[in-house]
């Protein structure tokens, strides 16, 4: 989707992605995970220079590989020169109350609006 064109067309991404099993990517994110792993292997900090992204990971902390897939994707994008907007979101299906996954996601989204708007404005100027 980025065609390795140095993020020529895509300047900003918001990613929601989960892990399942032993830290695997779900079927719909398998190719994106593979792409991120290849970015880590290449370790070329210019491939995605200019790309900004936000990522919220979903999983269950009862598994030892909790957030393995979102973390791998985050590391791959960063290794290729992309810049993360805000913190890595960490939605845990095992939590309840104020730490319940839906509440954590809602707070993450609320906290994302301002830095996302600023990033988009700055990107449009360049």
């Amino acid at each position: 989707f980025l065609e390795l064109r140095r993020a020529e067309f895509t300047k900003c991404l918001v990613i929601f992605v989960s892990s399942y099993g032993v830290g695997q990517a779900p079927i719909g994110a398998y190719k994106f995970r593979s792409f991120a792993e290849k970015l880590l292997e290449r370790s070329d900090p210019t491939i995605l220079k200019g790309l900004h992204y936000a990522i919220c990971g979903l999983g269950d902390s009862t598994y030892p590989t909790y957030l393995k897939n979102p973390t791998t994707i985050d590391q791959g994008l960063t290794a290729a020169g992309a810049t993360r907007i805000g913190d890595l979101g960490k939605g845990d299906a095992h939590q309840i109350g104020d730490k319940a996954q839906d509440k954590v996601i809602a707070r993450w989204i609320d906290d994302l609006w301002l830095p996302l708007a600023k990033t988009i404005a700055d990107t449009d100027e360049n």
Side-chain angles (χ1 to χ4, degrees), residues 49-96:
K49 187 175 178 165
L51 174 69
H52 293 80
Y53 70 97
I55 184 167
C56 185
L58 312 172
D60 186 330
S61 63
T62 60
Y63 290 89
T65 55
Y66 171 60
L67 297 180
K68 174 70 174 160
N69 185 49
T71 301
T72 300
I73 291 170
D74 182 42
Q75 291 170 343
L77 294 175
T78 301
T83 303
R84 189 176 69 219
I85 304 166
D87 294 329
L88 170 66
K90 298 178 181 179
D92 185 356
H94 187 69
Q95 297 297 321
I96 58 173

Side-chain angles (χ1 to χ4, degrees), residues 21 45 57 59-60 81 83 90 103 108 112 126:
D60 186 330
T83 303
K90 298 178 181 179
K103 291 182 179 168
W108 182 83
L112 181 63
N126 296 329

